[in-house]
Amino acid sequence: VFHIAHEIRSSSHAVDAEELAGICLQLENATNNWPEVVRIFPDLALAFEKVRQFMDKTQASFDPGN
């Protein structure tokens, strides 16, 4: 969990997805506490969805067909 959360956090900072980065930091800190990881996971899924929607919207704005 730590390594994956760390990689996602680094990438999140690179694209200014600070909410996602913060949740990944929580996961990094909760690595040895599985109930805490399970508690945090829905927040991670929601943050991923927000980033995905933002990226879709941003990509659509650059699409010459729109």
Side-chain angles (χ1 to χ4, degrees):
V1 171
F2 177 86
H3 294 292
I4 293 170
H6 183 75
E7 288 183 27
I8 295 170
R9 182 170 63 96
S10 296
S11 298
S12 298
H13 282 303
V15 296
D16 204 26
E18 296 304 319
E19 179 181 3
L20 183 57
I23 293 167
C24 288
L25 180 59
Q26 290 177 35
L27 285 170
E28 287 180 51
N29 292 331
T31 298
N32 295 320
N33 182 347
W34 195 247
E36 184 67 5
V37 169
V38 170
R39 186 194 68 74
I40 295 168
F41 186 78
D43 296 336
L44 178 69
L46 181 60
F48 263 122
E49 181 60 21
K50 288 178 183 178
V51 170
R52 188 193 64 77
Q53 288 176 3
F54 175 79
M55 297 301 285
D56 287 348
K57 198 180 302 183
T58 301
Q59 181 179 359
S61 71
F62 289 109
D63 185 1
N66 284 338

